[in-house]
Amino acid sequence: DIQMTQSPSSLSASVGDRVTITCQASQDISNYLNWYQQKPGKAPKLLIYDASNLETGVPSRFSGSGSGTDFTFTISSLQPEDIATYYCQQYDNLHSITFGQGTRLEIK
Amino acid sequence: EVQLVESGGGLIQPGGSLRLSCAASGFTVSSNYMSWVRQAPGKGLEWVSVIYSGGSTYYADSVKGRFTISRDNSKNTLYLQMNSLRAEDTAVYYCARDRYYYDSSGPIRYFDYWGQGTLVTVSS
């Protein structure tokens, strides 16, 4: 199975800060990577697909980049409503999808 | 409006069986890939199983041979039959529409709609 390693596992930042989360795949996954946001007690929500495409309706302060094994998720200006856990997810292996372990984002 | 509603969770003893249901509205289950994803208490997301529009099924190694994914086209409903349950299967189980298509850059796949989740607790 393809392993996805996110860092950091938790992050504390101030409103207005630029926040960056990284995700590393154990092998080349091209651009087959998505990012999700999950708030406590809720189902995950798709933010970014195909490494860099913003899902319809998602604020433009969210962005993604990368290809191969190294990917980055960025919030350009952190808002209070962005407090959540963020997950990357690969789909290079169509029959065995894997998620990163998650990054918990808190307000400082 | 697309909606997914899971049901069937509950408390079950180790070794027992449970069947989860996911009733879909606003789209046709059989025309889409559909997946189950679970989340153990306080832990991350784990993909469990997928059924393709053509009917092929795949499973995570952790549930292979114990879980079976299926669908009822007449009811537009997805199922997950869980047998030989273990304590480590305790989790919230989500069904999700597993959107898959091709564009100019190649295959695109993501979970675009999720249910609210149903809690399965395996404990004696």
Side-chain angles (χ1 to χ4, degrees), chain B residues 38 40-41 46 62 66-67 85-91 93 120 122:
Chain B
R38 69 183 181 183
E46 179 187 19
S62 58
R66 300 187 299 122
F67 290 12
L85 282 162
R86 307 166 179 167
E88 55 264 36
D89 295 319
T90 294
Y93 285 74
V120 173
V122 184

Side-chain angles (χ1 to χ4, degrees), chain A residues 7 14 17 19 21 29 35 47 50 71 78 83 87 94 106:
Chain A
S7 62
S14 301
D17 282 354
V19 171
I21 298 169
I29 59 168
W35 290 95
L47 299 181
D50 196 31
F71 301 86
L78 184 66
I83 299 311
Y87 294 92
L94 292 181
E106 299 175 337

Side-chain angles (χ1 to χ4, degrees), chain B residues 10 15 28 40 42 47 60 63 71 77 87 90 92 100-101 104-105:
Chain B
T28 302
W47 172 80
V63 306
R71 66 191 181 209
T77 297
T90 294
V92 173
Y100 181 68
Y101 61 94
S104 57
S105 65

